[in-house]
Amino acid sequence: MRAKTINHAAPTTAFFNGAGPTPAISAQIQRSQSTQSPEPNSLTATQSIQPVLRSDYQPPAYWIDNVELDFDLDPRETLVTARISVRRNAQQSSSTLDLAGENLKLQSVAVDGKRLEQTQYQLRDGGMTLLDLPESCVIETKVLVSPVTNKSLSGLYQTSGNFCTQCEAVGFRRITYFLDRPDVMTTYRVTIRADKQTCPVMLSNGNRISQRDLDDGRHEVVWEDPFPKPSYLFALVAGNLKCHRGTFTTRDCRNVALEIWVEPQNIDKCEHALVSLQKSMKWDEDVFGLQYDLDIYMIVAVNDFNMGAMENKGLNVFNSKYVLALPDTATDEDYMLIEAVIAHEYFHNWTGNRVTCRDWFQLTLKEGLTVFRDQQFTADQTSAAVKRIDDVSGLRAGQFVEDSGPMAHPIRPESYISMDNFYTATVYRKGAEIIRMYHTILGAEGFRRGMDLYFQRHDNSAVTCDDFRAAMADANNVNFDLFDRWYSQAGTPELTVSEAWDAAKGEYALTMTQSYPPLPGGNPGTEGRKPVPLPVRVGLLDAESGEEIEQHGGVVMLQTESETYTFGGLTAKPIASVLRGFSAPVRLRMQRSNQDLAFLMAHDTDSFNRWDAGQTLATKLLLDAATGVKNGEKLKLSQEFSDAFGRVLSDDSVDEAFKALALTLPRESVLGQEMDVIDPDSLHTARQFYRTRLAETFQSELTALYKNLAADGAYKNDQKSINRRRLKNVVLAYLSALETPESVSLVADQFNQADNMTDKQAALSLLANLDVPARDEALTAFYKKYQSDPLVIDKWFAVQAVSSRADTIEQVKQLTTHPDFSVDNPNRVRSLIGAFTQNQVRFHQADGAGYKLLADYVLKIESANPQLAARLVAAFNSYRRFDETRQTQMQNELKRIAEHPGLCKDVHEIVQRALHF
Ligand code: B3K
Ligand code: ZN
């Protein structure tokens, strides 16, 4: 292949959208102080919401050499004593030290053993300032915190009666006054005292060095973590827990004790998590040469948790959803996610903990990299092709939407009001795509060289994304300077590809042009955007035989706005397969005929593009059909698509999981992105029409395939069986679209006879869409059987919330009054309200009732759990993409939320960005 550049056009002002910075974000606003937990030590009664800027980074005035923490645990009044040895940063001359602290009742503060008078320190909103400190000293603070009333699930809180902490990003300051920033790394010694009856187990990071009983019915344990760490990796767990144990022997023959701690009733559900951990430990040794470094690795499963899990050093805390599994209660997808999340948190031990972030703007340094690592791990455990398709689908459905709306930000953001709002699909998923591009360019070996150098240079330190990029470049003698743009520019680039065939010369040319669609609202990172380096994997197929033209396959690097790549020595016009494996996170724009797409669906040797060709074709046809619905036309199933569908259905050369994906139509939310104005109703009708017509056309093939797949016998957990179940349930979904008595009983039979949750849940979800007696019977039976298992009851709420039935919103409202619904449990809120916001056709119901319901719940939970409320309210972020009526309705709800007195800053930030977009 040879490349010649025909157009080196300088970046045009087309990227510039002219709007200034979002005023409401930079503006200071006054808010009354949160009344939820009074802070008697605060000096000010009001607090201004000021963004934190990346450009404001300053090294700390003091370092911390070590910290001793003492916890006297009590649900209402836990006494936390912290002794921190501080030493002035040689590069700074200040004798003033600002410690962060929130929701703490200060009891005393002493420096080098001398208690300070109130005049010797200042308490301010968000912390304490100590004046005239010597060059080094020991600061001792005593504070009271109240775990039982802490519903924010940040800091020290109670869950199911047990004590638990969550410190990332800024929860440690809710435990004690501290330099709560990731560049301050120190060693911890932690003493925990609690009632022996209610808290028989007391855990913290590192190694347990002593344990003893006290006279008053309490007991004490001391933990010491030899590795310096930032405060966000601190953890403490105490309560009545049981342990599922295992071991792992490292490559250096060290024995590591593996302990999974859960509530007693869940002790039989831990084996899968344990095996996942062992696999992860082995994989990181094999692929990256990284061994575990402590003698013990603990995982605790808790029911109330804001996210998936947390990688605290040696003591991971997990949402129980990502630990507990038995075939009867967890689906194949749950099993896979558990393995992936366990791996992700384990991999953080090196990418995150040993080498951490200098400041929170660098979050993608650890998250993008660790997501990439867990993706590679899962690809190795399952199927690389299927994993890639799943990941790209997730990226398109979540990150692409974020990147074109009010929350668009570079993977390394420039500013934030609440850091918790920036644990985003962009930082995680797009961040992982950027890492993947280094891997694509350097190959596995070159990437490994870069990783080795990164650890060699930066072990035990807090660094930046630039340091990572430099390690990758230096280890391979490559210049990655242009990659900096991926870190500083927001938005999804569009890659427009056009082809030209010169029959006389036997030359085929692909011209690739990159651009950014403009973003209104002037989000940081959108002005003056420049071309980014794009590794584009390309292949050519012989249009006659469908065979790969080997000499022309490979990766081309597009580093400028536009280039043309010419492929010579051809006797006939080939069919190009572009962006194989989704080698760069862009929207590909290439005019292709339906025949070419059908050809790629049948012949592409790149399985990602094989699948994507089908999705592109389906998208074109479904969008046409949606327009047809709108115009009142009679819909028709496209013959081309029907033929292609039939070929996939009868293709025995692909594995069942791939076939399941290839037979699945693009989701309504993904289709919506391709419309100028999203029309949820027409889209839904069009997609339903296609599902039903395909089911009718292929009824006998689908029925035969279903029977074949259903004849597998008793549940098995191997990959082949998992793939077959995946396909079986896609086939069942088509059959259920027929809505005939036979198809309903097929689904009901699967529900009744299933010996595993995958099949049961799949059938229940299908029944939930129908208006038949079997629906209510199944929902009742399911509830009755699983009512004592919260994770399964979450599924019960979710299937009803995502139902396509016209009365879904009424059902969701009803369910909010169900005795099992609780606003304090994030999993439950997400399973009902969160799931409902993903139900495009019902959440966007024309009368705005869905919007009102969401806004009501955001306001109901915002003061208790700001993080969760902010996640939910982001469902309004796409409001500009809808028709005017819906836009106005959503805008009005956003305004109602914005005007709520004392609104928490997390929700404030999301809502203001949305309103000013
Ligand atoms: N690092 C945590 C996320 C913390 C979120 C704080 N709001 C989980 C993870 O990415 O591994
Ligand atoms: Zn992570």
Side-chain angles (χ1 to χ4, degrees):
M1 170 190 333
R2 71 201 150 83
K4 58 182 180 204
T5 304
I6 52 164
N7 179 6
H8 274 293
T12 65
T13 51
F15 298 138
F16 178 69
N17 62 44
T22 312
I25 293 175
S26 42
Q28 275 192 40
I29 72 140
Q30 298 291 310
R31 77 193 251 272
S32 60
Q33 194 181 342
S34 161
T35 48
Q36 196 226 340
S37 190
E39 297 178 64
N41 297 312
S42 289
L43 289 181
T44 51
T46 58
Q47 185 182 2
S48 63
I49 299 184
Q50 283 271 36
V52 182
L53 307 182
R54 182 170 78 89
S55 54
D56 281 351
Y57 174 80
Q58 289 288 334
Y62 280 78
W63 297 110
I64 300 182
D65 288 330
N66 65 68
V67 54
E68 286 176 23
L69 292 172
D70 269 43
F71 288 85
D72 282 292
L73 290 177
D74 176 86
R76 295 206 166 268
E77 290 202 317
T78 289
L79 178 66
V80 185
T81 307
R83 276 173 299 279
I84 53 181
S85 307
V86 302
R87 179 176 38 86
R88 191 173 298 154
N89 183 348
Q91 281 141 25
Q92 309 263 311
S93 56
S94 172
S95 58
T96 302
L97 175 59
D98 284 328
L99 298 176
E102 269 175 25
N103 282 29
L104 305 172
K105 275 193 203 161
L106 182 66
Q107 305 299 296
S108 66
V109 49
V111 170
D112 286 334
K114 275 196 230 89
R115 190 174 170 147
L116 300 189
E117 298 300 320
Q118 292 223 347
T119 51
Q120 293 174 288
Y121 61 92
Q122 291 168 359
L123 284 182
R124 53 186 165 74
D125 226 9
M128 172 202 295
T129 302
L130 297 167
L131 307 162
D132 303 321
L133 285 187
E135 197 145 321
S136 65
C137 60
V138 177
I139 302 166
E140 185 188 86
T141 58
K142 285 184 186 293
V143 300
L144 288 174
V145 295
S146 170
V148 73
T149 54
N150 179 0
K151 300 289 175 202
S152 69
L153 315 186
S154 162
L156 177 66
Y157 65 96
Q158 278 202 302
T159 162
S160 309
N162 298 322
F163 293 92
C164 169
T165 57
Q166 170 55 36
C167 295
E168 187 176 1
V170 288
F172 194 72
R173 65 190 59 185
R174 300 166 62 92
I175 295 174
T176 190
Y177 286 97
F178 206 71
L179 277 161
D180 188 15
R181 42 187 287 167
D183 56 352
V184 174
M185 298 171 81
T186 186
T187 52
Y188 286 66
R189 184 188 163 96
V190 179
T191 304
I192 313 170
R193 286 179 285 271
D195 178 63
K196 205 174 170 178
Q197 285 292 314
T198 54
C199 282
V201 176
M202 302 189 290
L203 311 173
S204 191
N205 319 82
N207 303 310
R208 187 192 286 111
I209 56 169
S210 75
Q211 189 158 19
R212 65 185 178 117
D213 286 345
L214 305 170
D215 300 336
D216 52 357
R218 293 168 78 80
H219 63 157
E220 178 190 273
V221 60
V222 181
W223 290 84
E224 212 169 61
D225 183 357
F227 291 94
K229 64 169 176 285
S231 51
Y232 82 85
L233 291 174
F234 166 79
L236 175 154
V237 173
N240 180 18
L241 299 163
K242 288 271 170 293
C243 183
H244 183 77
R245 286 172 208 278
T247 56
F248 181 78
T249 308
T250 67
R251 205 157 65 180
D252 286 352
C253 298
R254 279 187 315 100
N255 277 326
V256 181
L258 309 181
E259 301 186 349
I260 303 192
W261 292 91
V262 295
E263 289 178 48
Q265 72 273 19
N266 293 325
I267 194 68
D268 60 337
K269 295 187 180 148
C270 303
E271 183 61 17
H272 176 64
L274 179 67
V275 172
S276 302
L277 177 59
Q278 289 161 332
K279 281 191 195 167
S280 311
M281 296 176 92
K282 175 81 169 61
W283 186 89
D284 220 10
E285 290 188 348
D286 292 347
V287 178
F288 286 107
L290 297 170
Q291 300 187 50
Y292 187 59
D293 50 10
L294 284 164
D295 299 333
I296 178 169
Y297 192 94
M298 295 171 280
I299 290 175
V300 184
V302 301
N303 290 329
D304 304 288
F305 206 64
N306 273 338
M307 348 40 83
M310 179 62 214
E311 70 265 24
N312 317 300
K313 182 78 186 187
L315 176 57
N316 288 184
V317 177
F318 269 61
N319 187 325
S320 53
K321 180 176 164 58
Y322 296 112
V323 175
L324 307 177
L326 280 179
D328 183 43
T329 58
T331 61
D332 293 335
E333 194 187 359
D334 294 329
Y335 271 78
M336 201 257 286
L337 286 172
I338 289 170
E339 187 177 88
V341 179
I342 297 252
H344 179 97
E345 307 310 330
Y346 176 71
F347 298 155
H348 266 316
N349 191 52
W350 280 95
T351 51
N353 301 3
R354 289 286 288 254
V355 182
T356 195
C357 303
R358 187 195 69 173
D359 55 75
W360 288 120
F361 296 101
Q362 317 295 329
L363 182 62
T364 198
L365 172 80
K366 74 175 177 84
E367 295 305 348
L369 178 54
T370 305
V371 170
F372 172 72
R373 276 153 51 70
D374 85 53
Q375 290 176 346
Q376 296 292 87
F377 167 78
T378 301
D380 284 352
Q381 310 301 317
T382 57
S383 141
V386 169
K387 175 64 177 156
R388 190 66 188 133
I389 294 168
D390 282 341
D391 286 340
V392 176
S393 303
L395 186 84
R396 286 175 173 162
Q399 199 276 327
F400 278 19
V401 174
E402 180 171 271
D403 225 0
S404 60
M407 269 300 281
H409 55 276
I411 62 166
R412 184 187 56 200
E414 295 298 337
S415 77
Y416 60 78
I417 286 175
S418 167
M419 185 54 211
D420 289 320
N421 284 335
F422 284 82
Y423 286 75
T424 57
T426 299
V427 166
Y428 275 65
R429 285 176 177 267
K430 185 175 179 182
E433 294 300 320
I434 310 309
I435 303 292
R436 183 174 295 275
M437 288 192 285
Y438 292 113
H439 192 270
T440 301
I441 294 166
L442 299 172
E445 279 177 23
F447 187 80
R448 170 70 193 267
R449 273 194 295 279
M451 290 290 279
D452 289 350
L453 183 61
Y454 175 65
F455 293 121
Q456 198 182 313
R457 284 180 175 172
H458 303 299
D459 189 13
N460 281 321
S461 47
V463 302
T464 66
C465 299
D466 294 334
D467 294 316
F468 181 83
R469 188 162 50 90
M472 282 290 149
D474 296 350
N476 293 286
N477 233 332
V478 173
N479 185 327
F480 275 133
D481 289 356
L482 286 181
F483 254 73
D484 183 48
R485 294 175 184 170
W486 277 114
Y487 291 87
S488 54
Q489 300 182 170
T492 307
E494 283 190 356
L495 177 64
T496 307
V497 179
S498 61
E499 52 176 0
W501 166 239
D502 185 333
K505 288 194 189 148
E507 278 184 357
Y508 177 76
L510 288 171
T511 297
M512 303 193 188
T513 306
Q514 57 169 309
S515 63
Y516 281 97
L519 271 171
N523 284 26
T526 61
E527 279 166 29
R529 285 174 292 179
K530 300 201 175 82
V532 282
L534 294 174
V536 185
R537 195 179 289 281
V538 178
L540 299 186
L541 299 171
D542 185 292
E544 281 299 312
S545 65
E547 267 164 35
E548 185 85 19
I549 305 173
E550 293 294 343
Q551 74 269 27
H552 285 315
V555 175
V556 299
M557 278 303 298
L558 177 64
Q559 309 240 43
T560 55
E561 193 182 332
S562 183
E563 288 191 32
T564 295
Y565 304 92
T566 306
F567 308 84
L570 297 162
T571 48
K573 184 183 171 208
I575 308 277
S577 169
V578 180
L579 204 69
R580 285 183 155 178
F582 197 72
S583 59
V586 297
R587 284 185 200 264
L588 180 63
R589 302 281 181 223
M590 189 170 178
Q591 294 292 338
R592 315 215 72 152
S593 65
N594 292 356
Q595 291 88 321
D596 277 9
L597 289 168
F599 178 91
L600 289 169
M601 272 176 87
H603 299 293
D604 204 330
T605 55
D606 182 77
S607 42
F608 176 82
N609 268 7
R610 207 173 165 193
W611 167 79
D612 206 29
Q615 296 290 299
T616 308
L617 180 57
T619 302
K620 270 171 88 168
L621 298 168
L622 287 165
L623 292 178
D624 285 349
T627 311
V629 174
K630 215 174 161 171
N631 299 338
E633 290 162 20
K634 193 165 164 12
L635 297 188
K636 213 170 118 267
L637 173 65
S638 136
Q639 192 57 47
E640 249 150 6
F641 190 75
S642 170
D643 293 348
F645 187 92
R647 273 195 299 274
V648 176
L649 200 55
S650 60
D651 183 350
D652 289 330
S653 70
V654 295
D655 78 37
E656 287 88 353
F658 180 85
K659 195 185 270 196
L661 286 163
L663 293 176
T664 304
L665 299 175
R667 313 176 209 188
E668 286 169 31
S669 61
V670 171
L671 293 168
Q673 288 180 49
E674 301 302 319
M675 292 182 120
D676 292 335
V677 175
I678 302 175
D679 178 350
D681 299 313
S682 314
L683 263 182
H684 180 69
T685 308
R687 193 172 180 278
Q688 287 300 99
F689 172 83
Y690 257 74
R691 286 186 56 217
T692 313
R693 275 303 127 78
L694 287 166
E696 286 165 0
T697 311
F698 294 99
Q699 187 172 353
S700 56
E701 290 87 340
L702 288 164
T703 308
L705 182 55
Y706 179 79
K707 287 215 172 105
N708 174 319
L709 294 163
D712 274 4
Y715 169 87
K716 285 202 295 279
N717 194 17
D718 57 287
Q719 196 57 46
K720 179 84 183 156
S721 307
I722 292 169
N723 293 350
R724 286 175 64 85
R725 273 193 292 276
R726 188 165 180 173
L727 178 57
K728 178 177 68 182
N729 287 315
V730 166
V731 172
L732 185 65
Y734 276 109
L735 291 171
S736 91
L738 294 169
E739 294 195 28
T740 57
E742 297 75 44
S743 75
V744 173
S745 40
L746 198 65
V747 183
D749 286 351
Q750 174 166 320
F751 176 82
N752 291 322
Q753 288 154 21
D755 65 351
N756 64 85
M757 184 50 72
T758 307
D759 288 342
K760 217 175 187 61
Q761 188 195 9
L764 185 66
S765 312
L766 296 172
L767 290 171
N769 292 330
L770 304 177
D771 194 6
V772 291
R775 173 192 202 259
D776 293 340
E777 285 161 24
L779 283 168
T780 308
F782 191 91
Y783 179 79
K784 239 174 117 182
K785 178 158 187 207
Y786 297 106
Q787 58 182 309
S788 62
D789 189 328
L791 294 175
V792 186
I793 292 303
D794 287 339
K795 298 181 191 299
W796 182 80
F797 277 96
V799 295
Q800 297 178 75
V802 300
S803 163
S804 57
R805 272 169 62 123
D807 65 349
T808 293
I809 184 152
E810 288 315 313
Q811 307 264 349
V812 171
K813 268 192 212 154
Q814 277 273 307
L815 286 168
T816 59
T817 64
H818 192 281
D820 285 337
F821 184 71
S822 153
V823 288
D824 289 341
N825 177 249
N827 284 358
R828 192 53 50 87
V829 173
R830 281 187 286 254
S831 74
L832 185 62
I833 312 291
F836 174 63
T837 65
Q838 302 301 308
N839 184 347
Q840 181 162 283
V841 67
R842 298 302 162 215
F843 174 56
H844 294 282
Q845 186 169 298
D847 64 357
Y851 307 146
K852 180 170 182 307
L853 188 134
L854 174 63
D856 287 346
Y857 267 86
V858 168
L859 291 176
K860 201 170 238 164
I861 61 178
E862 64 86 26
S863 85
N865 192 338
Q867 284 185 41
L868 180 62
R871 290 270 150 167
L872 291 180
V873 82
F876 287 130
N877 277 351
S878 58
Y879 74 108
R880 292 266 179 231
R881 302 283 290 101
F882 291 81
D883 57 79
E884 240 166 72
T885 313
R886 288 184 170 93
Q887 278 197 36
T888 310
Q889 287 164 342
M890 283 190 259
Q891 224 165 357
N892 288 342
E893 297 299 344
L894 283 165
K895 284 185 193 148
R896 175 158 75 95
I897 297 169
E899 283 157 14
H900 186 74
L903 185 69
C904 69
K905 69 175 183 173
D906 300 59
V907 173
H908 163 85
E909 180 170 36
I910 305 289
V911 166
Q912 290 303 332
R913 283 178 83 121
L915 284 172
H916 292 85
F917 183 66

